[in-house]
Amino acid sequence: YEFGDAFQVDLQTTVKNAAGAIHTDFERHFRKAKVMAWDHFIACKNLDDAESSMKIVSEDHAIGDGDVLIVAHGADNSKKGGG
């Protein structure tokens, strides 16, 4: 696996608010999230296999203990470098 970063949020935080814990633009430009329990995630062969099995949830879905998220957002990342 090539993992991204891990962010800790309180239980029952919405996926949209959890996206904001990563970056405020992710919350502001939230599109959707995919969710899977950690134990199911690590049993997958690779990230593509895991992602194809993830459940797409609404922005008000509450985070559960051990949930893994993939967040889709519309934030513009072309402004890197302090411009």
Side-chain angles (χ1 to χ4, degrees):
Y1 283 120
E2 189 174 316
F3 288 100
D5 292 320
F7 293 84
Q8 183 174 336
V9 296
D10 293 331
L11 288 176
Q12 301 303 310
T13 298
T14 66
V15 291
K16 185 174 181 178
N17 291 139
I22 300 166
H23 195 287
T24 56
D25 282 348
F26 293 178
E27 182 175 9
R28 190 173 18 242
H29 301 284
F30 181 90
R31 289 191 179 156
K32 67 180 177 181
K34 296 179 180 181
V35 180
M36 176 181 275
W38 172 254
D39 56 336
H40 291 109
F41 182 78
I42 61 171
C44 294
K45 294 181 289 188
N46 54 45
L47 183 57
D48 289 335
D49 182 42
E51 187 173 0
S52 69
S53 300
M54 293 177 122
K55 179 181 175 183
I56 297 173
V57 297
S58 66
E59 66 182 37
D60 59 348
H61 175 83
I63 299 285
D65 189 22
D67 278 353
V68 175
L69 305 177
I70 295 178
V71 176
H73 60 84
D76 182 4
N77 67 355
S78 66
K79 299 176 187 171
K80 289 182 180 178

